[in-house]
Amino acid sequence: MARAAVLCGLGTYLPSRAVGNDDLARELDTSDEWIRSRTGIGQRYLAAPGQATSDLAVEAGERALKSAASGTGPDGADAVVLATTTPDHSCPATAPVVASRLGLGTVPAFDVAAVCTGFLYGLAAGAGLIASGTADSVLVVGAETYSGILDPADRSTRAIFGDGAGAVVLRAGAPDEPGALGPLVLGSDGTGNELIQVPSGGSRRPFRAARAHSEPADPYFRMAGRQVFRNAVERMSDATTEAAARAGRRPEELDVLVAHQANLRILHAVADRLRLPRERFPVHLDRVGNTSAASIPLALADAVTAGVLRPGHSTALTAFGGGLTWGATTLTWPAVVPV
C-alpha cells in the first residue's frame, strides 16, 4: 500500500496585540460598520515590534509538535516546510532557522511562496516528501506578519490582513486511515500576477533601480479586490469539486469545508456556488482577519475547539492566493487535539 501523509498534530499562535475595527477608525477614514459590511472582519492581531515571522512560526510549530506527540504522531519531524509571503529576509529562507530553533537539527527545511494558497502547497510538498520516503514526518507551517508590508494609509488592506501562524504535523500512514490527505488539486495562472502583488523589492523592480530611474518605489502589498473576488470564488469552488471527485466524494457529502479565510462574502459565495449550506463553512476571520498562509490551520483549530469540526467528519480544505494560485484537498478529520 502506498505511503500517505496523515495529519496527526495541530498548533496555532496569534500575537498578543488585538486591533479592533474601532482602533483602525481612529487612524483611518473607516468605521466598524464599513469594515464588517464588506469583509465580515471585526478584529485582527498584529505582531509586536521586533517580532518576526520566524518567531510566530516557532510558536505554532512547537505547539503542533506537542499536539502530535500527545496522540499518534511522532516526537519531532524529519523536515520543515514553511509557507509564507513575509519571510524574515529575502535571502536566506526562513524555514531553516525555524527548524533550528525547534531543536530539529539539520533536517531539510525550505520556504514555499504561494501567498494565501501557501499552506495547501506546503501540504503538497510535505505529502511528497513522505510519499517518496524522504521523510517519515513533516512539520508544515503557515506563518505571516503582513503588518510589515501593508501601506499605513490603505484602509482596504489594513482592515483585512492580520498576523498569525498555524502548523500541522504529517506522518507516514495508510491512505484509508483518518487524517490521511486525499489527492491534492493545485493550480496557477500567471496572467493574473499583478492582481495580488508587492510591486517593488524583487528583481523585476529592485529598490535601487526604482531610485536610479526616479521611479517611485512601492514596497507595500497591493490587491485588486474585485478581480480577486471573482477568481477566488471560481477557483476554490472548482478545486474543491475536483478534489472531492478524485477522493470518490461529491461536494454535498462533505461535512465541513475549511476555506481560506479571506472575506466573509467570498466564503458565502463559494458555499452558494457549491449549493451547500453556509453553516458547513467555519468562520474564523471575524476575530483574526485574513492571515494568508496561516488562515487554514488557524481556522481548523478554531473549528475543532468550537466543536464544529469533529473526528470522522468528511472535510475539505481549499484556498486561493496570489500568483495566481489555488488548491484543495480532502480528508476524514482525525482525533487531533490542537495546542
Side-chain angles (χ1 to χ4, degrees), residues 39-43 261-264 267 283-289:
T39 69
I41 297 170
Q43 72 170 16
Q261 305 284 296
N263 179 303
L264 186 59
L267 295 182
V283 176
H284 192 219
L285 62 85
D286 55 327
R287 287 153 284 155
V288 302

Side-chain angles (χ1 to χ4, degrees), residues 77-283:
D78 300 330
V80 175
V81 180
L82 173 63
T84 187
T85 308
T86 55
D88 288 8
H89 307 281
S90 58
C91 175
T94 302
V97 74
V98 173
S100 177
R101 289 176 58 186
L102 287 172
L104 298 176
T106 58
V107 301
F110 56 91
D111 291 2
V112 171
V115 197
C116 299
T117 318
F119 185 72
L120 266 297
Y121 270 63
L123 288 181
L129 291 171
I130 289 173
S132 67
T134 302
D136 290 326
S137 59
V138 180
L139 175 66
V140 180
V141 186
E144 304 284 12
T145 50
Y146 259 69
S147 57
I149 61 171
L150 298 181
D151 184 343
D154 186 350
R155 68 174 181 173
S156 60
T157 56
R158 285 192 62 192
I160 293 172
F161 291 93
D163 302 335
V168 298
V169 176
L170 303 177
R171 63 165 175 83
D176 58 351
E177 66 178 295
L181 299 182
L184 281 129
V185 173
L186 302 174
S188 74
D189 180 4
T191 63
N193 177 267
E194 294 183 356
L195 297 181
I196 300 174
Q197 190 180 84
V198 176
S200 299
S203 62
R204 175 63 61 190
R205 188 175 167 184
F207 288 126
R208 67 178 185 276
R211 290 195 297 269
H213 298 95
S214 299
E215 181 184 5
D218 187 355
Y220 297 122
F221 178 91
R222 305 296 182 188
M223 182 171 65
R226 290 184 179 180
Q227 296 97 314
V228 168
F229 185 104
R230 183 181 67 255
N231 274 279
V233 173
E234 178 181 341
R235 297 301 188 180
M236 286 199 289
S237 301
D238 292 349
T240 299
T241 300
E242 183 177 350
R246 290 191 186 182
R249 309 178 188 183
R250 298 188 303 274
E252 58 267 29
E253 295 175 318
L254 297 168
D255 298 309
V256 178
L257 289 84
V258 180
H260 165 54
Q261 305 284 296
N263 179 303
L264 186 59
R265 288 182 175 180
I266 290 177
L267 295 182
H268 287 170
V270 172
D272 295 345
R273 184 180 173 99
L274 292 173
R275 298 182 181 180
L276 294 174
R278 294 178 177 181
E279 293 75 21
R280 295 190 193 181
F281 288 71
V283 176

